[in-house]
Amino acid sequence: MRRAVFPGSFDPITLGHYDIIERGLTLFDEIIIAIGINADKKYMFSLEERKRFIQEAFKSESKIKVMTYKGLTVDFCKQQDADFILRGLRNPADFEFEKAIAHTNRKMSEIETVFLLTSSGKSYISSSIVRDVIRNGGNVSGLVPDTVKVK
């Protein structure tokens, strides 16, 4: 089975994430959307909310699992018997950052990182931009799946 882990904080999940996951389904038998837990980070949405947003967005997709984890992504991948990490790239800066992480992960394990370019119409979307729009009372309907409920 070709199993991939798509890690992130998903605070919140965006249409950019959704795009990568949907396209990743054509490459993998199963994708584990792995919500990383970082006690030092201040999130806009609780872990439960973030998990629910994702589960609801993919409720009809049997090839998707949503899980949470702490620690190194490569350790989580090994625990889940996943041979691949799926990552999205929006721009050259993402590539440089993600390349360094992929090289480090490969050095630590046998896990391959697979990069997909975000579709051009979604490449500008980031969780930090979405949070800023929310903080300022803007409409995020074109930026996140309908399952994301803004407080």
Side-chain angles (χ1 to χ4, degrees), residues 44-57:
M44 176 173 275
F45 295 94
S46 72
L47 179 61
E48 295 76 22
E49 288 173 309
R50 291 179 280 146
K51 189 173 182 180
R52 187 175 59 251
F53 296 157
I54 298 167
Q55 286 172 327
E56 289 177 15

Side-chain angles (χ1 to χ4, degrees), residues 87-103 113-118:
R87 297 297 293 160
L89 298 174
R90 294 170 298 175
N91 54 49
D94 278 357
F95 174 73
E96 289 302 323
F97 178 74
E98 293 290 346
K99 179 178 73 167
I101 294 171
H103 284 313
T113 301
V114 175
F115 296 110
L116 292 179
L117 297 177
T118 304

Side-chain angles (χ1 to χ4, degrees), residues 101-127:
I101 294 171
H103 284 313
T104 303
N105 287 341
R106 184 77 174 118
K107 181 100 173 144
M108 295 170 52
S109 70
E110 295 298 314
I111 296 171
E112 289 288 349
T113 301
V114 175
F115 296 110
L116 292 179
L117 297 177
T118 304
S119 297
S120 62
K122 296 174 179 63
S123 63
Y124 66 95
I125 303 171
S126 71
S127 292

Side-chain angles (χ1 to χ4, degrees), residues 27-39:
L27 302 173
F28 301 104
D29 300 311
E30 182 178 81
I31 296 176
I32 300 170
I33 302 171
I35 306 169
I37 300 169
N38 181 344

